[in-house]
């Protein structure tokens, strides 16, 4: 008797997930025992995901802040296919390179802010931030100041999940129990007015105080020991923390004054997310190093880069000996070919301008309409990055206790109602694909309001 064919069913996939698959950032006990495995996503088109049971979800997070051109773009699949037939792999070690790697380096130099003319490739934001640590140390070694190896970062920063990039990051949960941060990594308060400002402190004053925390830290460690400051122009995974206008100009001044390299982590902010090619342009930041990933290929294949300024590049190129660092897949030809096709799509469809002039302002306006909701303490957005803070008391900006519970309630309602919106503590965060249309933003915000109502109902709050 022929054996029963293996059927691809939800039950089978979930069973395999429980038995064999360890997901990142998961509570294995509860995922495997209580929930019976992960929700299985099988398809996607435009801004919508489909799960294995046929439910359709509006992806308000563009995957993990990365699917900038939306799902199902044949141009990217074709670019990968063509490159795989032509040259699926060759490395960029030992004095070799490939056309896609050098063509992409040039294209990035063209679209990046002034003076960032060189690229060092990796396959993830974490890898590229490890490369940042190496580049900072190499630079100061070549400058004859090897003791300038310390790096200053911020609480709630997310720079990746390797040992070095999680040390750069400011997520305590990723450090405790793992012997992190490694020595030489320091953290100061983020420019997060909503949670960190004192009563009556204006955003402008607070922005200056948050920048001064960086200066104080540099002075505490000693400017002769601090090699770099790293920051996301807008902190993404930390909760879409948009700094006051006074913050970045002060950071720029402080870094110049103490001869500290300024690193902009644009892994989330880059490739049109903020209505500029890079958020550094919007905030007037002139970085010495810039980390890119995610939107560089719209997440279709893994790729990342560190863009290196002329100032740093000239020192690297004038020093004796090799830079002993790199990855098998640095400058992977297929990934670079997909990145080139992705950038061409962003240009052809005018997505940067669309976010800046049309959908960014429209999202801001629609989010504003949620401010009257009893749970909403603040809405904020910049381009297509948005956040809705849920609070117990609007006037004092007091959060519910324990922090994170209400955000999770709201997120679960969103999922049940066809919307992917993440919770960071009790902030609901949004980062939809850049192809989203205004009518789809209406649908997104309408669902969000419905889910806020359901959350309020759970909490016994009258509407
Ligand atoms: N820098 C920034 C600013 C990021 O947001 C990384 C570096 C690391 O990139 P890789 O490719 O190594 O993951 C990130 C990644 C979340 C979430 O839950 C955010 C990220 C990754 C996973 C989850 O918000 N950001």
């Amino acid at each position: 008797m022929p054996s029963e064919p293996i059927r691809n069913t939800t039950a089978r996939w979930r069973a395999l997930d429980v038995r064999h698959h360890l997901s990142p950032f998961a509570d294995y006990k509860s995922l495997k025992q209580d929930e019976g495995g992960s929700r299985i996503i099988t398809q996607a088109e435009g801004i919508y995901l489909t799960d294995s049971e046929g439910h359709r979800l509006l992806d308000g997070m563009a995957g993990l802040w990365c699917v900038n051109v939306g799902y199902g773009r044949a141009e990217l699949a074709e670019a990968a296919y063509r490159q795989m037939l032509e040259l699926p792999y060759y490395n960029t070690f030992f004095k070799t390179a490939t056309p896609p790697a050098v063509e992409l380096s040039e294209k990035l130099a063209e679209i990046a802010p002034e003076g960032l003319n060189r690229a060092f490739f990796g396959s993830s934001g974490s890898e590229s931030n490890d490369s940042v640590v190496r580049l900072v140390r190499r630079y100061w070694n070549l400058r004859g100041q090897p003791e300038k190896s310390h790096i200053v970062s911020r609480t709630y920063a997310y720079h990746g999940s390797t040992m070095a990039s999680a040390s750069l990051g400011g997520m305590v949960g990723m450090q405790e129990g793992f012997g992190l941060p490694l020595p030489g990594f320091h953290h100061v308060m983020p420019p997060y007015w909503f949670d960190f400002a004192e009563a009556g402190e204006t955003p402008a004053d607070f922005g200056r105080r948050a920048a001064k925390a960086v200066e104080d830290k540099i002075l505490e460690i000693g400017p002769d020991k601090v090699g770099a400051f790293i920051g996301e122009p807008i902190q993404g995974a930390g909760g879409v923390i948009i700094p006051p206008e006074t913050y970045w100009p002060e950071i720029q001044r402080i870094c110049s004054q103490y001869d500290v390299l300024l690193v902009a982590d644009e892994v989330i902010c880059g490739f049109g997310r903020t209505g500029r090619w890079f958020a550094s342009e919007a905030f007037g930041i002139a970085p010495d190093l810039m980390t890119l990933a995610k939107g560089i290929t719209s997440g279709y294949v893994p790729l990342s880069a560190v863009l290196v300024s002329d100032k740093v590049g000239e020192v690297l190129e004038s020093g004796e000996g090799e830079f002993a660092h790199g990855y098998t897949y640095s400058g992977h030809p297929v990934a670079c070919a997909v990145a080139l096709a992705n950038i061409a799509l962003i240009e052809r469809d005018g997505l940067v301008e669309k976010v800046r002039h049309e959908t960014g302002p429209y999202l801001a306006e629609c989010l504003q309409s949620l401010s009257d909701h009893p749970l909403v303490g603040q809405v904020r957005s910049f381009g297509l990055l948005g956040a809705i803070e849920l609070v117990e008391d609007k006037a004092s900006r007091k959060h519910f206790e324990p922090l994170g519970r209400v955000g999770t309630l709201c997120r679960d309602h969103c999922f049940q109602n066809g919307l992917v919106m993440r919770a960071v503590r009790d902030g609901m965060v949004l980062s939809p694909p850049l192809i989203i249309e205004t009518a789809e933003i209406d649908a997104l915000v309408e669902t969000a309001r419905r889910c806020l109502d359901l959350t309020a109902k759970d909490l016994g709050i009258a509407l």
Side-chain angles (χ1 to χ4, degrees):
M1 221 171 75
S3 61
E4 180 78 358
I6 297 172
R7 258 177 297 147
N8 289 331
T9 60
T10 302
R12 175 167 176 265
W13 283 323
R14 282 167 67 90
L16 297 182
D17 185 55
V18 166
R19 254 183 266 145
H20 300 293
H21 181 217
L22 294 175
S23 306
F25 287 88
D27 174 338
Y28 296 126
K29 188 164 177 232
S30 99
L31 180 66
K32 299 201 169 221
Q33 292 179 12
D34 309 339
E35 301 192 30
S38 308
R39 182 194 279 251
I40 307 292
I41 305 297
T42 48
Q43 279 175 333
E45 182 62 36
I47 64 164
Y48 290 96
L49 306 167
T50 309
D51 73 11
S52 58
E53 291 173 320
H55 300 117
R56 198 159 172 259
L57 295 151
L58 193 166
D59 186 4
M61 287 304 298
L64 275 180
W65 325 77
C66 56
V67 188
N68 288 12
V69 299
Y71 298 95
R73 306 301 295 260
E75 293 90 337
L76 302 199
E78 281 155 10
Y81 179 74
R82 277 196 308 271
Q83 187 59 44
M84 280 194 188
L85 290 177
E86 177 111 7
L87 178 71
Y89 175 74
Y90 201 71
N91 63 71
T92 54
F93 283 47
F94 314 128
K95 303 185 193 173
T96 61
T98 63
V102 295
E103 298 277 356
L104 179 60
S105 306
E106 189 223 13
K107 187 67 194 176
L108 292 171
E110 180 198 319
I111 60 176
E114 190 65 31
L116 293 161
N117 289 311
R118 295 161 177 81
F120 187 94
F121 292 111
S123 303
S124 69
S126 301
E127 279 183 7
S128 279
N129 279 327
D130 271 43
S131 299
V132 160
V133 176
R134 297 276 195 161
L135 285 162
V136 167
R137 292 188 179 185
R138 176 75 176 156
Y139 173 82
W140 289 113
N141 288 345
L142 291 174
R143 291 262 320 255
Q145 292 172 271
E147 62 289 350
K148 267 175 95 78
S149 64
H150 291 247
I151 303 184
V152 177
S153 174
R154 286 104 41 100
T155 304
Y156 295 153
Y158 192 92
H159 298 298
S161 199
T162 58
M163 296 294 269
S165 60
S167 296
L168 284 173
M171 301 287 190
V172 174
M174 295 172 70
Q175 299 178 336
E176 267 176 8
F178 296 99
L180 299 181
L182 297 170
F185 295 87
H186 308 266
H187 301 86
V188 299
M189 116 175 119
Y192 186 11
W193 177 84
F194 192 81
D195 264 21
F196 285 75
E198 281 159 11
E201 194 174 24
T202 64
D205 285 343
F206 172 73
R208 279 184 283 269
R209 183 161 70 87
K212 188 165 180 301
V214 175
E215 184 165 28
D216 291 346
K217 184 56 85 178
I218 292 171
L219 291 170
E220 179 194 319
I221 303 162
D224 53 336
K225 292 203 181 72
V226 180
F229 168 80
I230 186 167
E232 304 150 74
I234 294 171
Q235 286 174 252
V240 182
I241 301 169
I242 303 169
E245 278 175 17
T246 47
Y247 182 74
W248 278 110
E250 263 303 280
I251 296 289
Q252 189 80 51
R253 178 193 67 73
I254 292 163
C255 288
S256 306
Q257 183 171 340
Y258 299 102
D259 204 9
V260 165
L261 294 175
L262 203 171
V263 186
D265 181 338
E266 295 240 14
V267 166
I268 284 179
C269 292
F271 297 94
R273 172 67 46 207
T274 66
R276 304 284 206 290
W277 273 103
F278 300 99
S280 289
E281 296 163 41
F283 289 97
I285 308 168
D288 296 302
L289 298 169
M290 183 190 271
T291 318
L292 306 175
K294 295 192 190 270
I296 193 171
T297 57
S298 287
Y300 278 53
V301 289
L303 181 72
S304 65
V306 185
L307 296 192
V308 176
S309 63
D310 294 340
K311 169 177 144 182
V312 174
E314 281 158 19
V315 169
L316 294 177
E317 288 165 12
S318 67
E320 298 291 326
E322 70 175 19
F323 178 48
H325 173 68
Y327 311 104
T328 300
Y329 299 134
S330 287
H332 193 290
V334 175
C336 291
V338 171
L340 283 163
N342 175 59
I343 294 168
L345 265 190
I346 296 175
E347 284 176 333
R348 192 198 72 191
D349 294 354
L351 291 180
V352 179
E353 297 73 26
K354 182 182 169 88
V355 173
R356 182 158 171 197
H357 299 297
E358 185 191 346
T359 44
Y362 193 72
L363 177 70
E365 196 185 310
C366 293
L367 285 178
Q368 209 54 52
S369 74
L370 298 174
S371 313
D372 63 348
H373 195 278
L375 284 181
V376 175
Q378 187 195 45
V379 294
R380 52 178 183 265
S381 68
F382 200 111
L384 287 187
L385 279 174
I388 307 164
E389 294 273 4
L390 309 185
V391 290
E392 186 171 351
D393 182 62
K394 285 177 177 247
S396 65
R397 309 196 294 270
K398 182 179 179 293
H399 289 289
F400 289 98
E401 284 176 21
L403 194 60
R405 179 179 60 103
V406 174
T408 306
L409 271 178
C410 182
R411 182 202 63 194
D412 291 346
H413 281 304
C414 289
F415 240 103
Q416 292 308 324
N417 285 275
L419 170 65
V420 181
M421 177 158 72
R422 279 257 335 271
V424 176
R425 300 178 298 280
D426 284 345
M428 306 310 299
V429 297
L430 280 168
S431 163
L434 309 188
I435 54 161
I436 195 168
E437 299 292 348
T438 50
E440 293 168 327
I441 293 177
D442 287 338
L444 187 162
V445 173
E446 234 172 76
T447 309
R449 178 176 281 276
R450 211 156 12 97
C451 295
L452 288 170
D453 288 352
L454 291 168
T455 309
K457 206 166 143 218
D458 290 343
L459 299 170
I461 293 169
L463 293 169

